[in-house]
Amino acid sequence: ATAEPVVIGGDSPPGLPRNGPDQPSSAPPDNLQRGERVVGGAGQGRVAERVTESEAIAALAEELDRQTAADMFAGAVMVSRDGETIFAKAKGCADIERQIPNDVDTAFGIGSMGKMFTGTAILQLVQAGRVSLDDPLSAYLPDYPNEAMAAATIHQLLTHTAGAGNIFGPDEIELFNANREDLTEPEDFIALFGERSPRFEPGSSWEYSNYGFILLGRIIETVSGESYFDYVRKHIFQPAGMNSTDNYPVSELPPKTAIGYTRVPPGERLSGHPVGGQLPPLRPNTDSLPYRGGPAGGGYSTVGDLIRFATALRENKLLDEEHTELLIAGKVASMGSSRYAYGFSDELSGDGVRVVGHNGGAPGIYGQLLIFPDSGYVVAVLANRDPQGAIGVIQSISSRLPAK
């Protein structure tokens, strides 16, 4: 590998932040968090012109075949418009050793896409009058061990402006790995990381923070009286019809769950190889998985369930119209031209098309949900490979779908 890691497989799609280490690994993909250029793959940095729906779908199918043939993609893709599926296809193997193919009902790791569920849960409690976005953390966790961190507001935690820091970064990963099996509930993370001071004065900057969403998960528990896992299952997954989505412990994954495969050797960053270099061999990512998913992400879902989630939001089944827009409307500048909302990113593309959603990436995992509010299109992509091939697939459709 080069001294400065190079990622192969396609330029990052317009519309959502490249938000870095979503799930733990011995070497987090912080090059993605910094927004380093992705080299090669779909488009080579070009942004396609918008075309008809059928032409956009044809381009997607072609790119899906290309990335699969290059051994850069395995996963599933679904595209809908106004709740009706217009494209659904799966590629590659869910289990290479047993030659079990992926299909559109296969569950995949979703990384930080789970932050959308945490943001939705907090806004449900806001809508019910049980949480105020302007309240400090201390209003809900009065015994929080760091006074300066306890002064950060719910709004700041939701928008990554609280300075809460990471839990998988270079400064934390050794501590995380040493306690991986014991970190089963949000309060376990607080016991391990709660003494830390904010990385900056809350509200003064933006820095992607997995730990901030862990704190939000604990707030959901204290306010609702339910575990985080029970709350999102009862109030989000079930009402939306997301029957294949949950924060399963890794020892209890359903049979139809894809194994993640990475080319990242143990102890190295999610970086790929220089263009033209020989690809490293694939290996299962099981050594880098957390005990279970949680408020910061790490759960499992299907492309169909992600479409159902987007549809439930659009139809105001999870929140009323006012709070749905509050959830997804950008609040603070994050990466590039993107603005971060409450567990969602919100951006206008270069040609003025609004897209909201979130992505998630880690060794052997990549997923992205793109919701186009003005046209009714929704794109869900999940992959059990490193992010690069899926990014190329996403770009092939996101920049071509009709604006209206």
Side-chain angles (χ1 to χ4, degrees):
T2 59
E4 284 298 320
V6 178
V7 181
I8 57 177
D11 216 350
S12 291
L16 296 181
R18 293 150 291 190
N19 58 6
D22 308 306
Q23 293 196 27
S25 66
S26 56
D30 55 353
N31 57 313
L32 294 181
Q33 186 174 25
R34 294 198 308 269
E36 290 179 7
R37 174 168 167 73
V38 183
V39 180
Q44 300 290 329
R46 293 180 286 108
V47 177
E49 293 182 358
R50 300 207 176 269
V51 294
T52 67
E53 179 183 291
S54 61
E55 290 171 328
I57 293 299
L60 167 63
E62 180 181 351
E63 182 64 16
L64 195 56
D65 288 342
R66 191 176 79 84
Q67 293 286 3
T68 304
D71 203 19
M72 294 296 294
F73 181 83
V77 180
M78 187 172 288
V79 182
S80 71
R81 187 171 195 182
D82 298 329
E84 297 295 324
T85 302
I86 60 174
F87 180 87
K89 183 167 286 190
K91 293 282 189 177
C93 282
D95 184 325
I96 293 176
E97 183 179 359
R98 294 190 293 167
Q99 285 295 290
I100 298 174
N102 285 319
D103 64 37
V104 293
D105 296 320
T106 300
F108 298 85
I110 62 171
S112 269
M113 298 175 78
K115 289 182 174 67
M116 294 184 289
F117 309 143
T118 301
T120 302
I122 289 287
L123 264 289
Q124 287 178 336
L125 297 173
V126 170
Q127 180 178 304
R130 303 177 69 184
V131 168
S132 171
L133 294 168
D134 296 325
D135 276 348
L137 174 64
S138 59
Y140 306 98
L141 304 182
D143 298 326
Y144 192 78
N146 185 281
E147 184 177 354
M149 190 68 250
T153 67
I154 308 308
H155 165 85
Q156 290 165 349
L157 291 168
L158 282 166
T159 56
H160 300 294
T161 58
N166 217 322
I167 48 179
F168 312 133
D171 297 332
E172 305 90 12
I173 193 62
E174 185 174 343
L175 181 62
F176 177 87
N177 282 334
N179 294 274
R180 185 189 301 268
E181 296 300 319
D182 298 322
L183 297 172
T184 64
E185 308 285 341
E187 61 186 348
D188 298 328
F189 288 86
I190 295 174
L192 191 62
F193 296 105
E195 297 284 351
R196 300 185 305 184
S197 297
R199 287 173 53 84
F200 49 80
E201 181 181 353
S204 66
S205 187
W206 186 90
E207 181 183 64
Y208 192 80
S209 172
N210 285 299
Y211 183 63
F213 271 71
I214 295 290
L215 296 178
L216 292 167
R218 183 59 183 147
I219 290 170
I220 291 165
E221 293 183 327
T222 60
V223 172
S224 70
E226 303 175 63
S227 74
Y228 172 81
F229 311 107
D230 288 342
Y231 183 93
V232 294
R233 189 182 303 118
K234 179 179 178 181
H235 298 279
I236 297 176
F237 303 155
Q238 290 177 1
M242 301 168 66
N243 297 325
S244 299
T245 301
D246 214 323
N247 293 288
Y248 308 106
V250 292
S251 60
E252 301 175 18
L253 295 178
K256 204 168 185 178
T257 303
I259 297 171
Y261 293 95
T262 180
R263 299 187 189 279
V264 181
E268 291 192 16
R269 290 167 51 192
L270 178 58
S271 60
H273 266 212
V275 173
Q278 184 176 358
L279 292 174
L282 289 166
R283 66 177 186 88
N285 68 349
T286 47
D287 64 334
S288 67
L289 297 176
Y291 170 81
R292 74 183 303 173
Y300 295 82
S301 190
T302 66
V303 288
D305 272 7
L306 292 173
I307 297 287
R308 292 181 189 98
F309 173 65
T311 301
L313 285 176
R314 181 173 62 89
E315 295 178 351
N316 300 318
K317 291 181 178 178
L318 303 178
L319 292 162
D320 63 26
E321 185 175 357
E322 175 188 355
H323 287 86
T324 298
E325 183 58 25
L326 181 62
L327 175 73
I328 65 175
K331 310 292 188 296
V332 297
S334 53
M335 288 185 175
S337 60
S338 181
R339 296 181 64 80
Y340 205 86
Y342 291 152
F344 286 73
S345 184
D346 182 9
E347 186 175 354
L348 284 178
S349 65
D351 57 354
V353 175
R354 186 185 183 202
V355 56
V356 301
H358 211 286
N359 63 354
I365 293 171
Y366 194 77
Q368 193 155 345
L369 179 67
L370 298 99
I371 303 169
F372 297 83
D374 296 334
S375 64
Y377 287 111
V378 179
V379 178
V381 177
L382 292 173
N384 57 324
R385 293 290 184 88
D386 295 329
Q388 298 88 347
I391 288 172
V393 169
I394 292 161
Q395 182 177 340
S396 72
I397 183 70
S398 63
S399 60
R400 288 184 169 90
L401 281 172
K404 298 290 185 181

